[in-house]
């Protein structure tokens, strides 16, 4: 359990091929950033993706004019992001799996932070460190959009609770071979509590299922640093 971060890092040390911007990212952009706040990238807003992987979301925002930065523990995926966006290759960094609230990424002062399907790889204690780190990297008035696994996510049915919010997800199917530690959030109230450093604006969710494997429910939080 103590070295759960290492187990998760081992899993991510391969490559996670995710080349395209996800619908919940471009809809977040169109419906919230642009519609509600008039933020469309023309102001070159500073945007950080915590757990950016190969930079699919960042490539979308980069194209719109945002000043994009990404951090991740997976060196292979950061290398893919850099070669995909050579004009901002220096805007990507490989970070340590253990969150550090004092760590400032690329000068901080971000206008927007996104973190999709990443913070749920942390225990409650480490989540609190990571969220403080993100808070410290943000301007007053800046926005955060992040997702966490929902309670109904089918991985949890295959998992054993090991404490501090973490479930050991260990199962093999014809398609998957998982040995991971994940955090699951019960409901929107718990989601608001986890992100209580920020003023909540929208608590939403997305869900899908393929091959009838089960629900992949994720809650999303959108809020503002005041
Ligand atoms: C499911 S992928 C999501 C990637 C990307 N955000 C997306 O939506 O396509 C999870 C990402 O979280 C990263 N990750 C896992 N543990 C992390 C940690 N402790 N700190 C930062 N990133 C982490 C992984 O390397 C991986 O790129």
């Amino acid at each position: 359990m103590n070295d759960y971060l290492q187990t998760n890092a081992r899993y991510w040390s391969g490559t996670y091929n995710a080349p395209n911007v996800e619908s919940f990212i471009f809809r977040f952009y169109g419906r919230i950033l642009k519609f509600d706040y008039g933020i469309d990238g023309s102001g070159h807003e500073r945007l950080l993706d915590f757990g950016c992987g190969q930079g699919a979301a960042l490539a979308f925002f980069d194209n719109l004019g945002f000043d994009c930065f990404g951090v991740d523990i997976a060196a292979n995926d950061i290398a893919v992001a850099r070669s995909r966006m050579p004009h901002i290759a220096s805007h990507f960094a490989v970070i340590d799996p253990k969150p550090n609230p004092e760590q400032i990424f690329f000068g901080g002062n971000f206008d927007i932070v996104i973190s999709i399907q990443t913070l749920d790889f942390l225990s409650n204690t480490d989540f609190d460190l990571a969220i403080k780190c993100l808070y410290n990297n943000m301007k007053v008035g800046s926005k955060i959009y992040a997702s966490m696994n929902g309670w109904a996510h089918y991985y949890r049915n295959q998992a054993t609770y090991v404490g501090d919010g973490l479930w050991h997800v260990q199962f093999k199917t014809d398609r998957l071979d998982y040995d991971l530690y994940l955090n699951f959030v019960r409901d929107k109230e718990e989601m608001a509590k986890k992100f209580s450093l920020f003023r909540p604006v929208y608590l939403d969710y997305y869900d899908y299922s393929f091959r009838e494997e089960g629900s992949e429910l994720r809650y999303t939080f959108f809020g503002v640093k005041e």
Side-chain angles (χ1 to χ4, degrees):
M1 170 40 193
N2 279 343
D3 52 17
Y4 86 92
L5 287 169
Q6 270 173 307
T7 304
N8 283 354
R10 200 176 318 120
Y11 178 82
W12 291 111
S13 65
T15 48
Y16 175 65
N17 192 29
N20 298 317
V21 61
E22 300 266 15
S23 66
F24 38 83
I25 290 291
F26 65 72
R27 294 200 164 94
F28 152 68
Y29 167 72
R31 296 177 189 200
I32 300 181
L33 276 187
K34 195 169 164 192
F35 184 80
D36 284 342
Y37 295 94
I39 298 173
D40 63 2
S42 58
H44 308 297
E45 294 85 359
R46 281 170 64 78
L47 186 151
L48 174 71
D49 187 350
F50 183 81
C52 65
Q54 299 184 341
L58 289 178
F60 168 78
F61 285 112
D62 176 61
N63 209 31
L64 289 164
F66 289 87
D67 190 13
C68 291
F69 297 81
V71 296
D72 201 291
I73 60 169
N76 288 341
D77 290 337
I78 288 289
V80 172
R82 283 190 176 129
S83 61
R84 180 174 188 180
M85 289 168 269
H87 56 293
I88 52 166
S90 62
H91 290 201
F92 295 94
V94 178
I95 56 165
D96 196 275
K98 179 76 181 173
N100 171 5
E102 309 307 325
Q103 188 171 16
I104 296 298
F105 303 121
F106 308 103
N109 242 2
F110 286 99
D111 298 292
I112 297 144
V113 168
I114 61 170
S115 187
I116 299 297
Q117 291 173 208
T118 296
L119 292 165
D120 31 28
F121 290 95
L122 298 172
S123 66
N124 289 339
T125 305
D126 287 334
F127 177 97
D128 289 347
L129 299 176
I131 206 71
K132 274 189 194 119
C133 167
L134 295 180
Y135 180 89
N136 289 339
N137 275 278
M138 294 169 66
K139 281 180 186 164
V140 171
S142 62
K143 326 279 186 271
I144 184 166
Y145 180 64
S147 78
M148 291 290 284
N149 295 316
W151 203 246
H153 194 304
Y154 83 97
Y155 288 2
R156 204 178 54 80
N157 302 331
Q158 316 272 357
T160 313
Y161 187 67
V162 294
D164 201 10
L166 276 186
W167 294 72
H168 188 192
V169 179
Q170 195 174 27
F171 68 97
K172 233 182 185 166
T173 66
D174 55 343
R175 191 179 75 82
L176 301 169
D177 186 0
Y178 277 158
D179 181 4
L180 282 173
Y181 290 87
L182 284 170
N183 205 317
F184 296 83
V185 170
R186 270 179 198 277
D187 49 29
K188 292 182 177 180
E189 285 67 38
E190 189 182 347
M191 197 65 183
K193 233 182 253 167
K194 289 190 90 64
F195 288 87
S196 61
L197 285 176
F198 302 95
R199 176 173 62 80
V201 179
Y202 296 121
L203 286 149
D204 287 306
Y205 66 90
Y206 57 90
D207 196 358
Y208 43 80
S209 173
F210 291 95
R211 299 176 75 240
E212 301 179 356
E213 285 172 355
S215 163
E216 298 187 37
L217 176 70
R218 266 98 181 190
Y219 290 112
T220 59
F221 178 91
F222 174 77
V224 176
K225 172 171 174 171
E226 297 199 306

